[in-house]
Amino acid sequence: MAKVSKEQVRHCKVFAEAGDNTIVALVENSRMMNFVKNRQIIGQADMSTDVYLVVEGVARAKSFSEKGKEVSYRDIKPGEIFGEFSAIDEAPRSSAVLAVSDCVVAKISARSFRKAVTTDSNVALALVELLVEKNRALTERIHEFGTLAVRFRIQSELLRLAEATCEDGDESISFDIPTHLELANRICTHREAVTKELNYLASIDLIQITKSTVFVKNYQRFKQVAGMIDM
């Protein structure tokens, strides 16, 4: 049975400062799994409690209403984990996770994960920091949903995507964006609204769009426009 390597475990921020014994235990209690693009990795409301570490590819957390309405939460990239909520409280999965591209993930047992958290203070602190980060991101999105019009939510999401790519001092940047439908699912709107706003931003020369890539010639101007959304 293939296992994740020590280096791959340490690539995850939650385990980066873990002790050697913790890393060995996580490796021994892991199993590598492959998922093709669009394959579900875990299902919404599943009763499983394992934790998953993305080694290769990108996965996406999303949920579905009874009528099939889809809401996307976040993309999960190499070095990031998901499933830790259920490993902690043993409650049903709060969202489904699907492979956006072909993915390789390490499946770590909840028992091993919980032992790492309870016996290694560095892992515990890193997990707390991760949960705080997720809570802040959720609070920010709730604020946007309650206070911003759709077009400004779109601008805010674009700014988030840009900030994840840019570095201090960048004058121009380019970043990948998901499909218009996926962007709409992230901010609870429809695809037509996303297309309309992207076309508008392009018409005022704020962005240029090539297939799935956005190019921003003047990043400071872009930040200024998007940063005015809640003023």
Side-chain angles (χ1 to χ4, degrees):
M1 180 175 66
K3 295 182 174 62
V4 65
S5 70
K6 295 178 182 179
E7 292 74 19
Q8 289 167 332
V9 173
R10 285 204 183 277
H11 183 57
C12 175
K13 187 160 54 174
V14 173
F15 307 125
E17 302 299 326
D20 291 339
N21 290 340
T22 299
I23 297 296
V24 170
L26 290 168
V27 168
E28 289 301 313
N29 289 279
S30 72
R31 179 164 65 96
M32 297 289 269
M33 303 180 70
N34 295 286
F35 293 88
V36 298
K37 182 179 179 180
N38 296 325
R39 175 82 180 274
Q40 180 173 278
I41 302 175
I42 58 174
Q44 183 178 341
D46 279 0
M47 293 302 298
S48 60
T49 57
D50 300 299
V51 176
Y52 294 81
L53 167 61
V54 178
V55 177
E56 297 178 12
V58 178
R60 180 171 293 151
K62 55 177 60 182
S63 64
F64 304 87
S65 71
E66 292 183 357
K67 294 184 178 181
K69 172 65 177 177
E70 183 177 317
V71 178
S72 295
Y73 297 109
R74 68 184 184 101
D75 283 355
I76 310 162
K77 301 176 181 179
E80 298 180 346
I81 61 172
F82 62 91
E84 72 276 12
F85 287 9
S86 292
I88 293 171
D89 64 10
E90 299 183 336
R93 302 290 191 183
S94 57
S95 65
V97 176
L98 289 81
V100 177
S101 62
D102 290 349
C103 285
V104 179
V105 301
K107 181 179 180 181
I108 302 171
S109 71
R111 180 179 180 182
S112 179
F113 178 76
R114 290 171 67 92
K115 184 175 181 179
V117 173
T118 56
T119 61
D120 193 315
S121 60
N122 287 334
V123 175
L125 178 58
L127 178 62
V128 170
E129 291 174 345
L130 174 65
L131 296 178
V132 169
E133 179 183 326
K134 288 186 175 183
N135 183 68
R136 289 187 183 279
L138 178 61
T139 301
E140 181 179 346
R141 286 186 177 274
I142 291 174
H143 171 76
E144 290 176 2
F145 291 157
T147 62
L148 301 182
V150 169
R151 65 174 306 181
F152 298 130
R153 298 208 304 270
I154 296 170
Q155 292 181 19
S156 182
E157 186 63 28
L158 289 176
L159 183 58
R160 264 192 291 269
L161 291 169
E163 288 175 339
T165 302
C166 72
E167 297 180 0
D168 292 341
D170 284 345
E171 295 183 2
S172 61
I173 63 168
S174 61
F175 56 93
D176 293 334
I177 60 171
T179 65
H180 293 191
L181 177 59
E182 177 58 34
L183 274 175
N185 290 338
R186 291 188 182 190
I187 59 174
C188 295
T189 187
H190 49 85
R191 181 175 55 189
E192 291 76 13
V194 171
T195 301
K196 180 179 179 180
E197 182 61 20
L198 291 177
N199 289 339
Y200 168 73
L201 295 175
S203 73
I204 62 174
D205 202 29
L206 192 64
I207 64 174
Q208 296 175 18
I209 306 175
T210 304
K211 293 184 178 180
S212 61
T213 301
V214 170
F215 174 72
V216 180
K217 183 177 181 180
N218 189 330
Y219 181 52
Q220 294 305 315
R221 178 179 174 229
F222 177 77
K223 287 203 302 182
Q224 184 178 27
V225 172
M228 294 176 63
I229 56 179
D230 57 356
M231 295 180 62

